[in-house]
Amino acid sequence: MKLQSIFRGIVLSSVSIAYVTSANSFTEALTQGKANGDIRIRYETVQQDNALEDANALTLRTRIGYKTGELNGFSAFTEFEDVRITAGVDDYSVPPTGFQTGEFSVVADPEVTELDQGFLQYSNGSFTAKVGRQVMVFDNHRFIGHVGWRQDRQTFDGASFNLKPNKNLSLNYNYINKRNRIFAEAADQDSNDHLLHAAYKTPIGTITGYAYLLEQDNALDTTYDTFGLRFNGQNGKWSYIAELASQSFEAGTIEADANYIMAELGYNFGPVTVKGSYELLGSDNGNYGFSTPLATLHKFNGWADLFLATPTQGLEDTAISIGGKLFQGAWIIRYHNFSTDESAPNDDLGDEVDFEYKRKFAKHYNFGLRAAFYSDADGPGGRVDTDKVWFWVGASF
């Protein structure tokens, strides 16, 4: 059944409910809802060892939303998002939109005003359904995420269905027919994506199985079919994650297969927590690298964003981090060492050090500082030494 037909049926059902329900109940559902807002002003600077000029960006992102009350299980949510360059600090480029392309280093925050979310929801105990534009996130954002680090976050037009037969089991099916990317409308993509996800909680951790069947509606009908298993949990001061996935890729006459491996072990010493991890985005004989096109990519493989696209030789990321609490805030330092999966003339892809401190204060406010320092090792891909620094202040209600 087409998404439009599903949406039409739900809308007609909600209208019918409104007619048979008292006008007073319908009015209360509309007026006794809850408003929300989120504001973030952020400065970002990028310095790279190339011919591009250093980037400096000061942008203000504002989100305002409203969720209605519930009527016979139905409710609605609408949220608008606006991103503005502030104080004329706009020395940066956004290539997908054509903004100052090739002059400055990239800061992926275009100016935009758009509908961020707008969906109709039905909830009845263990079952929840949403139809419309919405945020979709699974697990740690590695495969499906909202890219909330950028000012214009990623949302999807589609439908999501969640069933919780009991407190330990969660079953999800999501359908996406449009991907609203982080570059305003310049890079939005029509698609035919099917996401299946099941999670079961055990005494020692959560077991997750998933199938993400992605199909971009373009000239090549590009598809990524990914099947995987994930286990994550905590036992006392120890934390652990293990994940395996396989992926089949097709674009026109091109076909490839690649595997994904992730393992992480952490220990809490009290004042600090130390974690070590290994992540492999495998390669198909140097011709294709395992890809996660709908992920919150900034969260993985270094905050300098040099590996948003997996090299065709694949990517190995060995990392160690240490973090803790300081002055009622949280800090973390993480080191990455990058290399290829398949042999290349130079397997070394460089290394990176990341740092962050962030803190909430006065209930509704927050601020933070983040920095990334990447050093290239003249490996494949033409990456260059890159330094990035961010500072932000936000408020939410």
Side-chain angles (χ1 to χ4, degrees):
M1 183 181 292
K2 297 293 186 181
L3 177 65
Q4 291 85 351
S5 300
I6 298 174
F7 181 74
R8 190 181 301 113
I10 294 180
V11 170
L12 291 174
S13 298
S14 63
V15 171
S16 300
I17 291 171
Y19 273 110
V20 300
T21 307
S22 69
N24 185 52
S25 297
F26 184 72
T27 301
E28 288 179 354
L30 290 177
T31 60
Q32 295 184 4
K34 183 178 180 181
N36 70 278
D38 188 275
I39 301 170
R40 180 172 66 191
I41 185 168
R42 182 168 69 193
Y43 172 74
E44 179 172 347
T45 181
V46 182
Q47 299 179 1
Q48 294 184 291
D49 187 14
N50 57 20
L52 296 172
E53 294 189 40
D54 295 345
N56 292 279
L58 183 64
T59 55
L60 173 66
R61 190 259 291 135
T62 305
R63 291 196 196 109
I64 301 294
Y66 183 78
K67 183 178 182 180
T68 69
E70 194 172 284
L71 178 63
N72 294 333
F74 285 89
S75 62
F77 180 70
T78 302
E79 183 177 58
F80 289 90
E81 179 180 70
D82 179 80
V83 181
R84 295 292 105 192
I85 293 171
T86 305
V89 183
D90 63 352
D91 296 336
Y92 67 100
S93 71
V94 188
T97 68
F99 181 69
Q100 303 184 147
T101 300
E103 184 176 355
F104 300 95
S105 291
V106 173
V107 173
D109 290 329
E111 287 194 307
V112 60
T113 301
E114 65 180 5
L115 177 68
D116 186 54
Q117 294 191 83
F119 59 81
L120 183 67
Q121 176 174 298
Y122 175 74
S123 182
N124 182 10
S126 61
F127 176 74
T128 301
K130 296 179 183 178
V131 176
R133 181 165 297 184
Q134 57 192 283
V135 168
M136 295 183 186
V137 173
F138 284 124
D139 300 319
N140 62 343
H141 293 242
R142 192 47 174 119
F143 291 89
I144 311 296
H146 56 48
V147 199
W149 173 249
R150 299 314 328 172
Q151 299 285 53
D152 176 19
R153 71 176 170 184
Q154 176 172 264
T155 60
F156 303 103
D157 293 352
S160 60
F161 306 92
N162 173 255
L163 178 65
K164 295 198 69 171
N166 56 59
K167 66 179 182 179
N168 295 321
L169 180 62
S170 178
L171 304 172
N172 291 271
Y173 167 70
N174 292 16
Y175 173 75
I176 301 170
N177 75 340
K178 186 177 181 181
R179 309 165 184 173
N180 304 297
R181 310 290 277 176
I182 64 172
F183 298 104
E185 296 181 354
D188 290 353
Q189 301 167 347
D190 293 329
S191 65
N192 185 31
D193 304 327
H194 300 270
L195 315 177
L196 296 93
H197 184 276
Y200 184 75
K201 294 182 180 179
T202 75
I204 58 172
T206 300
I207 302 172
T208 303
Y210 52 83
Y212 302 135
L213 313 177
L214 311 183
E215 180 180 349
Q216 183 181 346
D217 185 10
N218 59 11
L220 299 176
D221 288 330
T222 303
T223 64
Y224 302 83
D225 292 344
T226 305
F227 301 86
L229 287 172
R230 172 183 171 86
F231 176 72
N232 68 288
Q234 186 169 337
N235 187 356
K237 295 185 176 183
W238 290 97
S239 62
Y240 35 82
I241 303 173
E243 188 165 4
L244 296 170
S246 63
Q247 182 175 89
S248 296
F249 168 80
E250 291 187 23
T253 60
I254 300 173
E255 297 184 6
D257 297 289
N259 295 320
Y260 174 83
I261 300 173
M262 192 274 180
E264 179 183 274
L265 184 64
Y267 187 81
N268 183 285
F269 288 92
V272 299
T273 297
V274 177
K275 293 182 179 180
S277 66
Y278 172 81
E279 185 178 43
L280 169 68
L281 293 97
S283 173
D284 188 343
N285 295 316
N287 298 313
Y288 170 80
F290 190 103
S291 299
T292 59
L294 302 189
T296 300
L297 291 168
H298 175 79
K299 185 178 177 183
F300 305 90
N301 309 134
W303 292 335
D305 291 338
L306 273 300
F307 297 98
L308 298 181
T310 307
T312 57
Q313 297 89 355
L315 177 67
E316 289 187 339
D317 179 1
T318 304
I320 186 168
S321 69
I322 181 170
K325 302 293 184 180
L326 181 67
F327 302 127
Q328 299 180 318
W331 64 273
I332 187 169
I333 300 173
R334 181 180 291 113
Y335 170 77
H336 296 266
N337 180 261
F338 304 109
S339 59
T340 63
D341 175 36
E342 294 287 343
S343 296
N346 187 347
D347 295 341
D348 190 351
L349 292 178
D351 52 25
E352 180 173 327
V353 177
D354 297 334
F355 166 80
E356 181 184 69
Y357 177 80
K358 59 184 180 180
R359 178 186 168 184
K360 295 181 179 180
F361 64 99
K363 189 177 180 180
H364 297 289
Y365 304 93
N366 65 86
F367 70 87
L369 172 69
R370 177 177 287 190
F373 306 99
Y374 170 82
S375 298
D376 181 48
D378 299 322
R383 294 167 186 84
V384 298
D385 291 356
T386 300
D387 297 340
K388 293 187 178 184
V389 178
W390 301 264
F391 177 77
W392 71 89
V393 178
S396 59
F397 60 87

